[in-house]
Amino acid sequence: MPTYEYHCGGCHKTIEIFQPMTARPEKVCPECGSSDFKRIVSGGVGVIFHGSGFYCTDYKGKNASTPGSSASK
Ligand SMILES: [Zn+2]
Protein backbone atom coordinates (compact mmCIF):
# COMPACT_ATOMS: atom_id res chain seq x y z
CA MET A 1 0.00 0.00 0.00
CA PRO A 2 1.53 3.30 -0.99
CA THR A 3 1.95 6.32 1.14
CA TYR A 4 0.77 9.54 -0.33
CA GLU A 5 2.11 12.89 0.57
CA TYR A 6 -0.15 15.85 0.77
CA HIS A 7 0.66 19.46 1.16
CA CYS A 8 -1.68 21.81 2.89
CA GLY A 9 -1.82 25.40 1.79
CA GLY A 10 -3.63 26.33 4.96
CA CYS A 11 -1.13 25.28 7.60
CA HIS A 12 1.75 24.61 5.21
CA LYS A 13 2.32 21.13 6.48
CA THR A 14 3.30 18.09 4.52
CA ILE A 15 1.31 15.14 5.68
CA GLU A 16 1.78 11.53 4.76
CA ILE A 17 -1.36 9.51 4.40
CA PHE A 18 -1.34 5.79 4.06
CA GLN A 19 -4.11 4.69 1.75
CA PRO A 20 -4.83 2.17 -0.97
CA MET A 21 -4.71 3.08 -4.63
CA THR A 22 -8.43 2.70 -4.87
CA ALA A 23 -9.12 5.22 -2.16
CA ARG A 24 -10.16 8.68 -3.09
CA PRO A 25 -7.62 11.40 -2.55
CA GLU A 26 -8.13 13.48 0.52
CA LYS A 27 -9.56 16.88 -0.11
CA VAL A 28 -9.49 18.44 3.28
CA CYS A 29 -6.53 18.84 5.58
CA PRO A 30 -6.96 16.71 8.70
CA GLU A 31 -4.89 19.20 10.65
CA CYS A 32 -6.63 22.48 10.03
CA GLY A 33 -9.57 21.58 7.81
CA SER A 34 -8.40 23.69 4.90
CA SER A 35 -9.59 22.68 1.47
CA ASP A 36 -6.32 23.80 -0.04
CA PHE A 37 -5.00 20.31 0.34
CA LYS A 38 -3.18 18.72 -2.54
CA ARG A 39 -1.50 15.47 -3.15
CA ILE A 40 2.15 15.62 -3.99
CA VAL A 41 3.06 13.38 -6.84
CA SER A 42 6.46 12.09 -5.95
CA GLY A 43 7.97 9.97 -8.64
CA GLY A 44 11.47 9.89 -7.30
CA VAL A 45 12.23 13.39 -8.43
CA GLY A 46 13.66 14.41 -5.09
CA VAL A 47 12.53 17.97 -4.94
CA ILE A 48 10.27 17.71 -1.95
CA PHE A 49 11.06 20.18 0.77
CA HIS A 50 11.32 18.18 3.92
CA GLY A 51 12.67 20.90 6.10
CA SER A 52 15.65 23.11 5.66
CA GLY A 53 19.03 21.73 4.82
CA PHE A 54 20.38 25.12 4.08
CA TYR A 55 21.61 25.97 7.52
CA CYS A 56 24.48 23.50 7.57
CA THR A 57 26.75 25.76 5.60
CA ASP A 58 26.21 28.55 8.05
CA TYR A 59 27.44 26.58 11.02
CA LYS A 60 30.86 25.98 9.61
CA GLY A 61 33.69 27.66 11.44
CA LYS A 62 31.52 29.34 13.99
CA ASN A 63 33.33 27.84 16.94
CA ALA A 64 36.65 29.07 15.66
CA SER A 65 35.91 32.73 15.94
CA THR A 66 34.13 33.74 19.11
CA PRO A 67 36.48 36.08 20.85
CA GLY A 68 35.74 37.95 24.00
CA SER A 69 32.17 37.86 25.09
CA SER A 70 31.89 35.00 27.59
CA ALA A 71 35.23 33.30 27.76
CA SER A 72 36.18 33.99 31.34
CA LYS A 73 35.93 31.34 34.04
ZN1 LIG B 1 -3.74 22.25 7.08
Side-chain angles (χ1 to χ4, degrees), residues 3 5 9 12 16 21-22 31 36 40 45-47 49 51-52 72:
T3 307
E5 280 187 287
H12 297 284
E16 288 185 8
M21 300 265 282
T22 52
E31 296 280 326
D36 188 9
I40 300 169
V45 192
V47 282
F49 293 98
S52 45
S72 59

Side-chain angles (χ1 to χ4, degrees), residues 8-13 15 29-34 36-37:
C8 174
C11 60
H12 297 284
K13 278 182 184 172
I15 301 165
C29 173
E31 296 280 326
C32 69
S34 171
D36 188 9
F37 194 58

Side-chain angles (χ1 to χ4, degrees), residues 11-58:
C11 60
H12 297 284
K13 278 182 184 172
T14 303
I15 301 165
E16 288 185 8
I17 297 178
F18 201 61
Q19 60 181 186
M21 300 265 282
T22 52
R24 284 190 200 163
E26 301 288 328
K27 283 179 187 162
V28 181
C29 173
E31 296 280 326
C32 69
S34 171
S35 57
D36 188 9
F37 194 58
K38 287 170 190 158
R39 195 163 88 185
I40 300 169
V41 181
S42 55
V45 192
V47 282
I48 302 168
F49 293 98
H50 255 302
S52 45
F54 298 101
Y55 292 103
C56 332
T57 51
D58 214 22

